[in-house]
Amino acid sequence: MDNPEETPMLRCAVVQFEAVPDDPDANLSTVRRLAEQSVRDGAQLVVFPEMCVLGYWHLRRQTAERLHALAEPRTGPSVTAVSALARELDAGIGVGFLEAEGDQLFNAYAVCLPDGTVHVHRKLHAFEHEAISSGDAFTVFDTPWQVKVGILICWDNNLVENVRATALLGATVLVAPHQTGGTNSVSPYGMKPIPLEIWANRDTDPAAVRAAFDGPNGRGWLMRWLPARAHDNGLFVLFSNGVGQDDDEVRTGNAMVIDPYGRIVAETPVPGEAVVIADLDLDLVPSSTGQRWLRGRRPELYGLLTERQGNELNPREVRFGSHAADGTGDV
């Protein structure tokens, strides 16, 4: 900062768009177009949805061989292209992709910084396909904007321990890419599918699609928990999401930026492709409620959190199993 008395700000963009299944070229073209738009509006960091390079929900129907054919290493053409775009635009750009490393596959997310560095997070709770492995590490890194950024992908954010650990590692901005809304939860009061015809008829009946996206299967569900992740941990949350038809489900968009008090700084009312721009007032972080609570912890009491209780399940069992009665049902 040239003037130390100036309020430190970081201008961010969160993006929602409908990915074309199995077409990285088309999706990267959309990434370029919307990243350029965001940077023209002053964004320094642009956050795209989970698995946006390849599409998402259809992957569960593919064979393992097909997934390996679609996947790329983090040094592959897609991430390389986004990294080059980040340098060209002098901005950070985050995209989701299917990562291959040796014989393993990961639901991964790359944040490409303007200096050419690339930080990749592997989803900690991957359930999309039995051939996709879960990651085993948190991802927090320094940036050119004097803030530490963390990444958690979709379901990673549902588990409170993951956001707390990311905050304890120093992150004050959380990149939270999703493909959510309209999922078929086994929990009786969780999300339920949105009929495909509501999305198909969005031009002739815009009120119906808006009501569905804002209701309990979209924004209403997010409001039950997402602001709490920001508030309780004293960090900004950059929520990006898919929107529109995703195989046989409908994603609800609802892209938004949430401040360390759990307040929505900016969000989109658009049930379609959209970019949300917001300025993060970084001065809010140090004295936020969540940061004070972090300093008030008593770690000596929390050993229980690291002990297995015997009822743990892998992410696929939780996501697709009939475990609602014992409290282990999905989102």
Side-chain angles (χ1 to χ4, degrees):
M1 305 295 171
D2 294 333
N3 182 352
E5 295 183 358
E6 289 182 356
T7 299
M9 290 283 186
L10 175 64
R11 178 164 287 192
C12 297
V14 288
V15 179
Q16 60 187 45
F17 79 93
E18 185 177 6
V20 180
D22 296 351
D23 195 339
D25 289 341
N27 295 322
L28 289 171
S29 178
T30 300
V31 166
R32 169 174 280 276
R33 174 171 56 83
L34 297 177
E36 289 175 342
Q37 173 186 329
S38 301
V39 171
R40 283 196 301 271
D41 290 335
Q44 298 159 279
L45 175 62
V46 187
V47 176
F48 287 91
E50 174 186 17
M51 205 67 79
C52 62
V53 168
L54 200 58
Y56 177 68
W57 200 225
H58 73 289
L59 295 177
R60 78 193 194 283
R61 302 180 185 273
Q62 309 304 309
T63 64
E65 292 74 19
R66 174 63 174 159
L67 293 182
H68 279 279
L70 292 168
E72 301 178 20
R74 61 182 62 185
T75 56
S78 294
V79 175
T80 298
V82 175
S83 182
L85 180 62
R87 293 193 299 273
E88 174 188 334
L89 299 179
D90 193 28
I93 302 175
V95 296
F97 70 107
L98 183 62
E99 182 188 6
E101 183 179 65
D103 294 332
Q104 287 189 292
L105 299 173
F106 299 94
N107 179 337
Y109 195 87
V111 172
C112 304
L113 296 177
D115 64 0
T117 59
V118 177
H119 299 276
V120 176
H121 177 71
R122 292 169 172 173
K123 191 173 184 178
L124 302 174
H125 304 273
F127 55 76
E128 298 80 12
H129 194 287
E130 60 186 7
I132 298 178
S133 300
S134 293
D136 59 5
F138 294 102
T139 305
V140 175
F141 52 91
D142 292 316
T143 70
W145 313 294
Q146 289 75 56
V147 295
K148 284 186 179 290
V149 168
I151 310 170
L152 292 171
I153 300 172
C154 202
W155 209 64
D156 291 351
N157 293 278
N158 294 151
L159 279 75
V160 297
E161 294 90 345
N162 292 332
V163 185
R164 176 53 55 89
T166 300
L168 289 172
L169 289 170
T172 54
V173 175
L174 175 62
V175 171
H178 281 65
Q179 292 287 347
T180 194
T183 69
N184 191 14
S185 172
V186 301
S187 300
Y189 298 105
M191 284 188 294
K192 300 302 175 188
I194 293 170
L196 291 176
E197 57 266 24
I198 288 180
W199 175 249
N201 297 331
R202 61 193 179 279
D203 293 331
T204 57
D205 192 356
V209 70
R210 180 68 185 273
F213 281 25
D214 285 349
N217 301 313
R219 186 181 186 276
W221 172 74
L222 293 169
M223 290 300 100
R224 297 181 193 175
W225 65 273
L226 188 59
R229 299 295 181 270
H231 173 272
D232 292 355
N233 296 288
L235 44 67
F236 288 92
V237 172
L238 308 181
F239 174 83
S240 64
N241 194 18
V243 68
Q245 186 166 348
D246 184 12
D247 197 50
D248 61 351
E249 294 186 343
V250 177
R251 304 289 165 243
T252 59
N254 309 117
M256 67 180 76
V257 175
I258 304 173
D259 81 1
Y261 287 92
R263 303 176 302 179
I264 298 175
V265 179
E267 65 177 320
T268 178
V270 177
E273 182 183 287
V275 175
V276 175
I277 302 285
D279 289 321
L280 311 189
D281 179 356
L282 302 176
D283 271 349
L284 292 177
V285 172
S287 61
S288 65
T289 307
Q291 288 290 322
R292 291 191 296 109
W293 286 355
L294 286 176
R295 293 192 293 272
R297 294 178 312 112
R298 295 184 59 195
E300 68 274 12
L301 299 179
Y302 309 145
L304 181 66
L305 296 178
T306 65
E307 297 173 3
R308 299 186 69 85
Q309 302 301 303
N311 61 350
E312 291 82 7
L313 301 169
N314 69 50
R316 285 182 59 78
E317 290 175 317
V318 176
R319 176 63 177 84
F320 299 112
S322 55
H323 308 287
D326 65 4
T328 58
D330 175 43
V331 297

